[in-house]
Amino acid sequence: MLDQDLLKELVKRKLIDENQAKRILSDADLAKKSAEELLYERRILDEVAVARIKSELTNAPYKKVDIDSISPDILKLIPRQTSTTYRVIPLVFDKSKNLLIVGMLRPDDVRAQEALKFIAKQQGISLGVYLITPSDFNAVWRRYAPYKSEVEAALQEISNLPDEEKAVSLEEGGSITDAPIIKIVASTLSQAVEMGASDIHIEPQRSRIRIRFRIDGELKEMVSLPISLAQPVVSRVKVLARLKLDEIRIPQDGRFRTILFGRDIDYRVATFPTPSGEKVAIRVLDPTSGLKGFDNIGLIDYNSNILEAAIKKPYGMILLSGPTGSGKTTTLYAIMQKLNKESVNVVSLEDPVEYFIDGVNQSHVRSEIGYTFASGLRQILRQDPDIIMVGEIRDSETAGLAINAALTGHVVLSTIHTNNSIGVIPRLIDLGVPPFLLSSSLNLMIAQRLVLKLCPECKVEYKAPAEIEEIIEQTISSMPSEVRGTIKYKAPFKLYRAEPKNDCKVCSGKGTAGRVALFEMFKMTRELGDLIGGSFTEGKLFDEAKRQGIVVLRADGVIKALDGIISIEEVIKETT
């Protein structure tokens, strides 16, 4: 009920409209989450503004948390597990009044209230409750046991064991002496999720084992362990992923799932033999960072309208292009969630399934047993699909089947590797697709890149240098008039760059917070169809794209840079 009351109040105050509220409720139901969680995850509204309104609805006063004032002694008053389970943290303990002030994300949670009453009775103290924001909760929660401290404690535990007990069991379940290794691996997995890492690399070197996280596209070393722990740590990961422990000569793939911070997290594991031992790469599949709504993937209004028009068509193909790690799969999932309704049958072929979406029939191809994109696509057509998602078009057989599916009344979504949206057409022809079929089957070609977003707290404004100003003016002049008219900035242009603050609670001193996509959309038109049917060059394709009003990747980036979302240097680097 609180979710509905909160959304009604937000609509009443014109912070969101009724359509947004209905969509949030529907998505929350699909994702098995609260509507409030989606508001925060998708950053639709400032969380402080939401918290203040929620405070009025629950009669729990809102409090901005002073992180530095919370000592380790205060944290001990509420166990870490209780804090995680019930989303509650201790804030202040007034000894004179024997009063513990706590912060809660959901003061209306009856189970959390009962748990707090039990703790208060057990310790003989009184309780006071404040409503806090998720950012403040996470910042305090990280102080319970910093990652490096947990690892150091586990290493100390190992060093204190008698030599004969330091060998670690390789059997599932293990023995009591496995506990420190289990703690190291568990802490690593948890920390990766907490920091928003997309990948974990466990890498044996000559004299040590290095653990690195990929955060916002860049690898960062988190901790270094003695080389003697390489085999036990890798074996623990292999046990979790149900891989063969005695096979160290060839790569292996597996996955496992766990629940962290109240949500399902999937880990995809790949081992790789090296002279120093097995290297392990773990892809962290966190739905809160990998699954995004259609309205939150970074589309400007102009491109959003183009994409919405394309997905409303009853049949045809939408292809996304870009290098590995450019966010193509995230965009595909956002489109699938938009199309996912009770009245349609959505079926996907993926390698592998990265995120599970309620209502979508997802299948994992396995080329080692002959279940490929091509063979799977033949079977999908017998499943009475309305919408088909194929993870990647990488060969002529898959390309031909996908084109035929689009021609026979299906919406087909897929990815293909090209440098830009214009390159999709020659790539398909190179894969053996007859040119005359493309005009009837292709609806939209999209290229995209991911760039780092500036931290809103650490970014600073500056005047654009002359050479950058020239690039911006040339880019704006090449935009379609409909887009130029929406740009409210004029020379001399103001841009933004990161000046990281060590104490920043948003980016932890990095200067950037997450990534956003740049998009380029090339529509199929009658003129383009005629062009493809005859002899054409890439130059002629570009002329047609310009005629129809394409916003190229750099133009999309310049718009976002002028809005202060990203730096102009990132735009130039990714679109050169």
Side-chain angles (χ1 to χ4, degrees):
M1 284 299 295
L2 179 60
D3 275 347
Q4 293 184 1
D5 292 341
L6 178 60
L7 290 174
K8 284 179 183 177
E9 192 63 27
L10 292 174
V11 171
K12 181 180 176 182
R13 301 191 187 199
K14 297 184 178 179
L15 295 173
I16 60 173
D17 59 39
E18 288 190 6
N19 288 333
Q20 278 181 298
K22 289 177 182 177
R23 191 180 305 123
I24 291 166
L25 274 176
S26 174
D27 290 350
D29 185 51
L30 283 172
K32 307 299 182 189
K33 294 181 178 179
S34 70
E36 183 188 356
E37 283 181 281
L38 291 188
L39 283 171
Y40 292 140
E41 287 172 11
R42 298 177 178 180
R43 299 184 182 182
I44 296 172
L45 294 171
D46 176 65
E47 62 181 17
V48 174
V50 175
R52 292 188 187 280
I53 294 172
K54 187 180 169 186
S55 172
E56 296 175 17
L57 295 173
T58 59
N59 294 319
Y62 163 71
K63 182 177 178 63
K64 175 66 179 169
V65 179
D66 180 5
I67 310 297
D68 296 329
S69 69
I70 301 173
S71 68
D73 289 336
I74 292 176
L75 291 176
K76 292 176 183 176
L77 295 172
I78 293 182
R80 184 183 183 192
Q81 187 60 44
T82 302
S83 172
T84 306
T85 304
Y86 299 109
R87 317 299 279 171
V88 56
I89 51 172
L91 300 177
V92 178
F93 181 59
D94 189 335
K95 291 184 179 179
S96 63
K97 298 179 181 177
N98 201 30
L99 175 66
L100 174 63
I101 304 294
V102 300
M104 299 180 70
L105 289 184
R106 295 196 70 104
D108 58 313
D109 186 336
V110 176
R111 290 173 61 246
Q113 291 172 7
E114 293 299 323
L116 285 174
K117 287 176 183 176
F118 176 79
I119 290 173
K121 185 177 180 181
Q122 191 180 48
Q123 300 184 15
I125 57 178
S126 300
L127 282 173
V129 175
Y130 278 107
L131 175 70
I132 60 173
T133 62
S135 293
D136 283 348
F137 173 84
N138 290 330
V140 175
W141 194 88
R142 280 194 293 268
R143 299 189 61 179
Y144 263 96
Y147 174 52
K148 288 185 179 179
S149 299
E150 289 186 325
V151 172
E152 288 168 5
L155 291 176
Q156 185 63 42
E157 195 174 336
I158 291 173
S159 68
N160 291 337
L161 290 171
D163 289 342
E164 65 271 14
E165 292 184 11
K166 287 184 179 178
V168 178
S169 167
L170 298 186
E171 299 299 324
E172 188 165 359
S175 64
I176 190 66
T177 54
D178 293 347
I181 298 299
I182 292 172
K183 288 177 185 175
I184 289 172
V185 173
S187 296
T188 300
L189 298 174
S190 176
Q191 183 70 9
V193 173
E194 184 69 25
M195 295 185 70
S198 61
D199 299 88
I200 304 167
H201 291 260
I202 301 173
E203 304 166 314
Q205 309 292 299
R206 284 188 177 183
S207 59
R208 65 189 180 112
I209 179 170
R210 177 175 65 175
I211 297 180
R212 295 192 292 172
F213 291 173
R214 187 177 294 279
I215 301 171
D216 293 338
E218 295 184 0
L219 281 169
K220 180 181 179 183
E221 183 168 332
M222 303 304 299
V223 75
S224 180
L225 304 174
I227 190 60
S228 60
L229 296 184
Q231 184 264 341
V233 168
V234 170
S235 293
R236 175 59 186 165
V237 175
K238 291 171 77 173
V239 165
L240 291 171
R242 299 188 179 278
L243 302 180
K244 295 179 182 177
L245 295 175
D246 58 348
E247 181 56 82
I248 60 174
R249 300 164 300 170
I250 60 174
Q252 296 186 70
D253 293 319
R255 69 188 299 161
F256 62 95
R257 176 182 289 189
T258 187
I259 297 176
L260 281 174
F261 314 120
R263 57 187 188 264
D264 287 335
I265 309 294
D266 277 288
Y267 299 92
R268 201 171 77 214
V269 178
T271 66
F272 186 75
T274 74
S276 300
E278 284 184 286
K279 177 190 181 299
V280 177
I282 306 173
R283 172 62 56 87
V284 183
L285 302 172
D286 182 356
T288 61
S289 56
L291 275 180
K292 293 186 178 179
F294 189 84
D295 299 327
N296 296 281
I297 55 177
L299 293 167
I300 61 173
D301 289 343
Y302 183 80
N303 282 338
S304 180
N305 292 336
I306 292 173
L307 183 52
E308 289 231 32
I311 65 177
K312 285 178 181 176
K313 293 184 178 180
Y315 61 89
M317 182 183 289
I318 298 174
L319 283 179
L320 283 93
S321 70
T324 301
S326 60
K328 301 186 296 295
T329 302
T330 300
T331 302
L332 277 181
Y333 276 128
I335 296 172
M336 278 203 295
Q337 288 184 91
K338 180 83 171 178
L339 294 171
N340 183 21
K341 298 174 183 175
E342 187 180 346
S343 57
V344 296
N345 180 20
V346 185
V347 188
S348 77
L349 279 174
E350 305 175 49
D351 185 20
V353 174
E354 293 196 5
Y355 301 102
F356 296 96
I357 304 175
D358 286 340
V360 176
N361 301 291
Q362 297 169 271
S363 184
H364 178 182
V365 300
R366 296 184 180 275
S367 55
E368 68 272 14
I369 59 173
Y371 183 37
T372 63
F373 283 124
S375 62
L377 197 45
R378 287 192 183 91
Q379 296 302 318
I380 276 184
L381 294 174
R382 299 174 185 171
Q383 292 294 319
D384 184 32
D386 298 292
I387 298 156
I388 300 169
M389 193 277 262
V390 182
E392 184 183 348
I393 292 176
R394 54 176 72 146
D395 56 61
S396 57
E397 188 178 10
T398 307
L401 289 167
I403 289 289
N404 284 321
L407 286 169
T408 53
H410 304 91
V411 173
V412 179
L413 311 172
S414 191
T415 69
I416 193 168
H417 282 284
T418 64
N419 290 326
N420 52 34
S421 60
I422 293 168
V424 170
I425 289 171
R427 175 62 180 149
L428 286 172
I429 293 173
D430 183 54
L431 287 172
V433 177
F436 67 88
L437 291 180
L438 293 178
S439 60
S440 304
S441 56
L442 265 178
N443 287 342
L444 185 64
M445 296 145 279
I446 305 171
Q448 71 177 79
R449 300 288 187 278
L450 282 181
V451 295
L452 291 168
K453 288 174 66 177
L454 292 170
C455 171
E457 299 297 323
C458 294
K459 69 180 182 182
V460 294
E461 185 183 285
Y462 70 99
K463 182 179 178 296
E467 63 273 18
I468 297 295
E469 195 158 284
E470 184 178 347
I471 290 173
I472 293 173
E473 287 180 333
Q474 288 176 353
T475 304
I476 291 176
S477 66
S478 70
M479 295 178 189
S481 57
E482 186 179 339
V483 177
R484 280 202 307 271
T486 65
I487 297 176
K488 52 184 178 292
Y489 311 102
K490 299 188 183 300
F493 296 107
K494 298 294 182 184
L495 297 172
Y496 298 83
R497 61 170 170 248
E499 285 195 3
K501 303 171 187 173
N502 291 331
D503 59 346
C504 180
K505 296 170 186 175
V506 177
C507 70
S508 302
K510 299 197 306 289
T512 57
R515 292 185 290 176
V516 68
L518 307 182
F519 290 97
E520 174 182 291
M521 301 199 178
F522 189 24
K523 297 179 289 185
M524 177 57 67
T525 59
R526 178 179 295 178
E527 293 81 0
L528 179 57
D530 292 342
L531 186 61
I532 296 170
S535 60
F536 68 88
T537 63
E538 194 163 326
K540 289 182 179 178
L541 291 177
F542 184 77
D543 289 342
E544 165 56 22
K546 192 173 181 180
R547 184 202 66 78
Q548 65 178 243
I550 190 172
V551 175
V552 296
L553 288 167
R554 174 163 289 189
D556 192 31
V558 164
I559 292 170
K560 292 181 169 86
L562 291 173
D563 283 335
I565 299 170
I566 57 180
S567 71
I568 193 68
E569 289 79 12
E570 279 284 303
V571 175
I572 293 171
K573 182 179 77 173
E574 291 295 332
T575 60
T576 298

